[in-house]
Amino acid sequence: MTGKAQGGLQEHNSDNIYRAIFENSIDAIFITTPDGSILSANAAACKMFGYTEAEIIKAGRSGILDLTDERIPGLLKEREKTGKISGELRYKRKDGSIFPADFTSTVFKFEKGKEHTITIVRDISSRKLLENNLIESEKNLRALIDAVDDSLFLIDPEGIILLANNKLAENFGKKMEDIV
């Protein structure tokens, strides 16, 4: 950083910088206690979950997490042990809809050594939908390729077979995994 850039940052109070990050993030940010009480939620969290901040605080962790997600106990145990976790969990909105999200959660010490956590949540519904569509398209392509009565294969410029149908394997008396 240049001296000029450092001076500019030094002029700002670190509390103001953190507040600006909290308020302007496009991801949901929660300040919580390790037991699941929510102390604060940013505007992105309110928008993502469909609650006001007061409603999120009242709901607590159990109000926004899909408690049927079997990964929760292990992740909480890991966070207790290491102080931080990240992964994917299912969350629930005010309207009851469940959605997948990537999250990170870190324990930190605050006023008089009290432990708090910061949890950042990113809705990955669109990404999951695209992944599922891609898987479905691949299944359809595989079914189409295998329905062809002739040997069919796709090779790359180096001559490596990337994709082949069952008829090709049958004609050469090989297993599919030996061909592709």
Side-chain angles (χ1 to χ4, degrees), residues 48-51 91-99:
M48 184 182 298
F49 287 86
Y51 287 108
Y91 287 82
K92 63 181 176 182
R93 293 184 173 86
K94 183 177 182 176
D95 66 9
S97 62
I98 303 295
F99 68 98

Side-chain angles (χ1 to χ4, degrees), residues 116-172:
H116 287 74
T117 58
I118 184 165
T119 301
I120 301 172
V121 177
R122 175 170 286 169
D123 184 343
I124 57 171
S125 299
S126 296
R127 186 182 87 198
K128 287 294 192 179
L129 181 61
L130 290 173
E131 287 172 4
N132 290 337
N133 289 344
L134 181 59
I135 289 167
E136 193 60 35
S137 292
E138 287 173 352
K139 284 181 190 175
N140 292 337
L141 178 60
R142 170 55 55 197
L144 178 64
I145 288 169
D146 286 337
V148 174
D149 284 336
D150 294 321
S151 295
L152 184 72
F153 59 95
L154 175 67
I155 60 171
D156 71 6
E158 285 80 41
I160 296 172
I161 297 175
L162 303 172
L163 181 73
N165 67 352
N166 290 328
K167 190 67 172 180
L168 181 74
E170 184 182 306
N171 287 343
F172 283 98

Side-chain angles (χ1 to χ4, degrees), residues 30-40 61 79-80 82-85 104-119:
F30 301 97
I31 305 298
T32 68
T33 59
D35 70 358
S37 298
I38 297 175
L39 306 174
S40 186
R61 177 171 59 210
R79 187 182 68 189
E80 189 177 316
T82 65
K84 55 187 160 188
I85 53 172
T104 59
S105 183
T106 305
V107 177
F108 65 96
K109 300 268 186 199
F110 198 56
E111 303 166 347
K112 300 175 187 165
K114 277 180 140 180
E115 282 191 344
H116 287 74
T117 58
I118 184 165
T119 301

